[in-house]
Amino acid sequence: MSDAKAKMAARAAAFDEMRGPEGCYAKYEPIRRWLEQTPAETVALKRAEAELLFRRIGITFAVYAEGGDPERLIPFDIIPRVLDAEEWRLLSRGLTQRVQALNAFLRDIYHGREILRAGHVPERLILHNEGFRPEMQDLETPQGVYCHIAGIDVVRTAPDQFFVLEDNCRTPSGVSYMLENREAMTRLFPDLCAQHRLAPVSRYPEELLETLKSVAPANCAGEPVVVLLTPGSYNSAYYEHSFLADEMGIELVEGADLLVDDNVVYMRTTEGPRRVDVIYRRIDDDFVDPLAFRPESVVGTAGLLNAYRAGNVTLANAVGTGVADDKAVYPYVPAMIRFYLGEEPILQNVPTYSCGRAEDLGYVLDHLPELVVKETRGSGGYGMLVGPRAFSAELTASTEKLKARPADYIAQPTLSLSTCPTFVAGGVAPRHVDLRPFVLMGKEIRIVPGGLTRVAIREGSLVVNSSQGGGTKDTWVLEG
């Protein structure tokens, strides 16, 4: 099949979130009228205005595959994605269930390991996993929480079919774009926004701060002091780090701004050292503490792990959460839900082949042109093969990689992701989307309605990652 025919087939098979067999869905009707009544020139002007606004306030994202340009803007599409109240209730219930199970799993593998002994998850997959941290063994975290902030990637294939594509339990990013997208829409299109009863997203920083305070150490005296730990201005998500710290009214710190004395963490200030109770870290495990992990790290703080193990500071997310979002562990999340909660999953997984299994590997090699292949520890869309859109040389190279290191890969069917109307160079056209809602877990679970909708800007593309040229949309959840 030619590339053009493949794109046409994908579009025909995809669920259109705006239009059904009987016409435009009611939730999109005001958007439809707005698009019909607004001249294309006006829409293009507003789009340029949005880009200028984003550049003025510094919403950029460094894409390392393109040289790490710190001034690159993530494309923002001005046509919002709309979910009704019933759709959001289903998603919210499923997200809550999933994060509860993932957190129970993390606590279990660092304590009794009951799920491993019961044989529901292979022991080798966990104890030999790069994300598993023996240093966390038997460490009790406040409120028993390990994954305080989760970003769960959800895709849709039909009106009533949502699938979880990926769990992000380490340092999920993108929430600043969710907030700034809404801000841009209300500035640029106040009349359109006023026509809808939109569930607000602006309270996310407040809810994040309350979540972090709720997991302060037991020996915290008075109001917990919370800081956000960043690797620094050269990190691709630095804008988000500074944005969230500012919105929460907390200090943005780098590793050198903190010191550990007698297993207590302090922040250097002009008035002298100030004790820190909770650290919202946006630094990977390996770089948190040069004494415990990579000695060459210059972005962490020496002694931080000892202070953490002593119960004098909370790290959010906890060290060692990466094992829960490893793509090789992903197929076992439904089993976690059944094991820990005694419930059937509300949101289903995408069927997944674990290439470390001989029978799965054989199937994948035989059907490679039909599948999506991912590195188990990959992220950002790097190292991914989309079989139906791959050239012969890419398929050959992937075959060799799979044979050489099968356990490093999983494969999934090529889902026909739903589409939403998107403003592109040729006008308005359908483009594939996914959704990353953000789940906060502390003393209670909080989910701001909506999330970050990512959109594959290129025609026919199924890759929505910002690092691969994808863009974002504002996500509207209509209040019931």
Side-chain angles (χ1 to χ4, degrees), residues 15 45 100 112 120 160 194 222 228-229 245 257 290 320 323 330 333 342 346 354 360 366 388 425 434 436-437 473:
F15 167 61
L45 185 63
Q100 285 177 322
H120 294 297
D160 57 350
L228 193 156
L229 176 61
D257 298 322
V323 68
Y330 160 90
V333 177
I346 296 169
S354 299
D360 283 9
D366 289 342
D434 80 350
R436 177 176 290 181
K473 287 174 170 286

Side-chain angles (χ1 to χ4, degrees), residues 38 71 86 146 154 277 298 302 323 346 415 426 455:
T38 306
E71 296 302 317
E86 185 176 347
Y146 290 75
V154 179
D277 302 296
V298 295
V323 68
I346 296 169
L415 293 184
V455 54

Side-chain angles (χ1 to χ4, degrees), residues 10 85 124 132 149-150 155 164 238 259 277 282 299 343 357 370 424 445 460 469:
R124 60 169 178 77
F132 179 78
I149 304 100
V155 296
V164 173
Y238 181 74
L259 63 95
D277 302 296
R282 297 297 295 261
V299 296
E343 301 169 357
R357 299 174 183 164
E370 307 164 17
V424 295
I445 292 181

Side-chain angles (χ1 to χ4, degrees), residues 83 126 154 170 242 273 305 390:
L83 299 171
I126 305 305
V154 179
R170 282 172 280 188
S242 58
L305 185 68

Side-chain angles (χ1 to χ4, degrees), residues 325-339:
D325 62 21
D326 188 300
K327 292 181 179 65
V329 175
Y330 160 90
Y332 299 93
V333 177
M336 297 177 198
I337 293 171
R338 296 184 186 101
F339 185 78

